[in-house]
Amino acid sequence: MGSLKQDRWYLYTYHVPQPVTKLADHTLEILMTDLDEDVLHTFTKDACENGKDCTERAGINRIVPKGTLIHEELFDPCGYSMNAFLPDSDHYATIHVTPEKEFSFASFETNQDLVCLYKQTKEVIKCFRSFSPGKLLMTVFANDSSTKGRDAQQQLWDRELPGYKRTNVQFVRLEVCLVCCDFLTRAGVLKSSYVVDNVPAAVSEKQDAAARLITKYEGVSACH
């Protein structure tokens, strides 16, 4: 997904017959690269005593819903991983950080629905803003029953994230869900024209149809 002339994301799908369900299902993923090497030191054994210490120093404990149970690991000599879940539910959140400056990377993923997903996105970006990621890739998978997932897709379509410039956005309709893929670059890092897609007309028509499904969505947003 994405323009062939810029960064792109390879999305692999596997066709398996799915039972008809009306249960809401969505996933938010945020991938961050080109992190500031001056603050990547936080995710090393030299800076933090253990995983819990790293979680608190980085502010990660403040970006998940209250009551979330967190299990974190700080690797030796560097690297961080966090898996969390909300009790009495199937909701989870994960964070992984690779702090080496040559290929710095951080990721966040969740399917929670206690907090508006657009607000969740802003909280994650706020937490990692001190790490100044040069590039962001945000994706929201949502089935037709997930009003919160579809609302987050609409919000990402309508709004810009402070400090970042959108370079590409794409909607793809899969068999069981609609995918919104949003590419962003830190303001001032890259000068490029805005790209919606750069694909053959037949594929473009399908993407436009998917985008219209989002544009027509008239749910009342609780995101701020």
Side-chain angles (χ1 to χ4, degrees), residues 64-189:
V64 293
K66 291 183 179 180
T68 300
L69 301 179
I70 297 176
H71 174 77
E72 60 272 274
E73 188 73 31
L74 179 63
F75 300 103
D76 190 8
C78 65
Y80 172 87
S81 179
M82 182 276 282
N83 295 299
F85 72 94
L86 279 73
D88 303 319
S89 76
D90 61 354
H91 297 163
Y92 67 89
T94 66
I95 292 178
H96 304 287
V97 180
T98 299
E100 288 90 342
K101 65 178 182 179
E102 294 82 5
F103 34 82
S104 60
F105 171 83
S107 67
F108 174 85
E109 178 181 330
T110 187
N111 68 342
Q112 64 83 17
D113 64 2
L114 295 181
V115 178
C116 161
L117 291 179
Y118 180 74
K119 182 178 180 180
Q120 175 78 88
T121 299
K122 293 199 297 182
E123 289 296 321
V124 173
I125 301 305
K126 180 180 179 181
C127 173
F128 280 91
R129 185 166 294 160
S130 61
F131 298 91
S132 301
K135 296 179 181 179
L136 297 173
L137 168 59
M138 299 184 300
T139 57
V140 179
F141 297 79
N143 67 3
D144 292 337
S145 298
S146 177
T147 56
K148 292 185 178 181
R150 300 287 292 276
D151 183 68
Q153 291 176 332
Q154 181 71 63
Q155 296 293 329
L156 291 175
W157 174 269
D158 290 339
R159 302 183 181 185
E160 296 282 350
L161 286 173
Y164 285 87
K165 175 181 175 61
R166 176 183 289 154
T167 59
N168 200 329
V169 63
Q170 189 172 9
F171 287 87
V172 174
R173 164 64 73 177
L174 301 180
E175 183 177 5
V176 295
C177 67
L178 184 65
V179 185
C180 169
C181 185
D182 206 2
F183 295 80
L184 301 102
T185 301
R186 189 170 68 246
V189 172

